Amino acid sequence: KYQSTVEFFYKNKDYSFDIKLPSEGIVQNALGVLLSLAEMEYDLETLLPKMENFQSLDRVMQLKQLETKDSRRVDILDDSHNAAIPSMINAIRTFKEKKKFYKGNGILVLGQVQDLGEQSEQLHQKLLPEILDSGFDYIFGHGDYMKKIIKQIPAKKVGGWFDNARD
């Protein structure tokens, strides 16, 4: 639930490393860095154990664990630093993949991506199939383009709407 083992084959040798709360995007980035370092003749065997303690930037695929007033534990996957449609798709897919480890309701809270210009509506529309396939129970949203997406979701699954990020 909180960690995965990544296995790969490089120059006729098998390697593996553990990484906390991985997503497909984080694994791809990690492999890209590791293989680049290997090509620069850094020793993979000394680098791989360090991956277990890897932490990205604050609010990039960050696991936050909270306890509610009634003593329930809640895990939040915070990817709010990333403001790009591919990053949101990565986070939604990770939510789907990790949901099987939890009981209770799976809740998506999604804000619109700013500064996409004339392609904003078209790019946000790419999120809809990912959202619908994620296995979520409720969704909350923010922003005009996200509102257009959420209006296409069954009303019983819409938990709420925020007109501004401060709400």
Side-chain angles (χ1 to χ4, degrees):
K1 163 166 148 172
Y2 298 124
Q3 179 174 303
S4 288
T5 298
V6 177
E7 298 174 340
F8 64 101
F9 186 75
Y10 174 72
K11 291 191 174 181
N12 297 318
K13 188 172 177 187
D14 289 313
Y15 293 93
S16 69
F17 63 92
D18 293 329
I19 191 166
K20 293 178 185 170
L21 194 69
S23 69
E24 183 178 331
I26 286 179
V27 169
Q28 288 174 352
N29 290 342
L31 285 172
V33 169
L34 288 168
L35 294 175
S36 295
L37 290 170
E39 285 295 310
M40 293 188 289
E41 300 185 10
Y42 283 84
D43 180 27
L44 282 176
E45 297 293 347
T46 60
L47 295 174
L48 294 176
K50 297 177 182 184
M51 294 305 297
E52 188 171 0
N53 296 318
F54 168 78
Q55 289 186 332
S56 189
L57 299 172
D58 187 39
R59 300 179 297 126
V60 175
M61 296 303 289
Q62 185 179 29
L63 177 67
K64 295 183 177 180
Q65 297 179 304
L66 306 173
E67 189 170 316
T68 63
K69 289 180 182 180
D70 60 350
S71 299
R72 290 180 292 153
R73 292 191 47 182
V74 177
D75 284 354
I76 297 174
L77 175 60
D78 184 353
D79 197 43
S80 58
H81 178 79
N82 279 324
I85 298 297
S87 297
M88 289 184 77
I89 289 171
N90 181 56
I92 293 166
R93 288 178 180 172
T94 302
F95 168 87
K96 176 185 177 181
E97 182 182 314
K98 297 297 181 182
K99 190 173 185 310
K100 64 187 171 197
F101 296 108
Y102 295 90
K103 57 184 179 182
N105 292 318
I107 300 170
L108 290 173
V109 180
L110 303 175
Q112 79 177 21
V113 176
Q114 299 291 331
D115 303 322
L116 294 177
E118 295 175 6
Q119 296 182 357
S120 288
E121 189 166 352
Q122 175 188 359
L123 290 170
H124 279 87
Q125 196 62 36
K126 291 182 176 187
L127 298 173
L128 184 60
E130 300 291 341
I131 293 168
L132 292 173
D133 189 47
S134 71
F136 75 100
D137 296 296
Y138 297 101
I139 188 168
F140 292 79
H142 163 263
D144 292 335
Y145 294 109
M146 194 58 70
K147 185 181 251 182
K148 291 178 181 181
I149 300 303
I150 289 179
K151 283 184 175 181
Q152 299 174 65
I153 293 172
K156 67 182 181 181
K157 290 187 162 244
V158 177
W161 185 258
F162 303 98
D163 290 322
N164 62 64
R166 298 192 195 284
D167 290 344

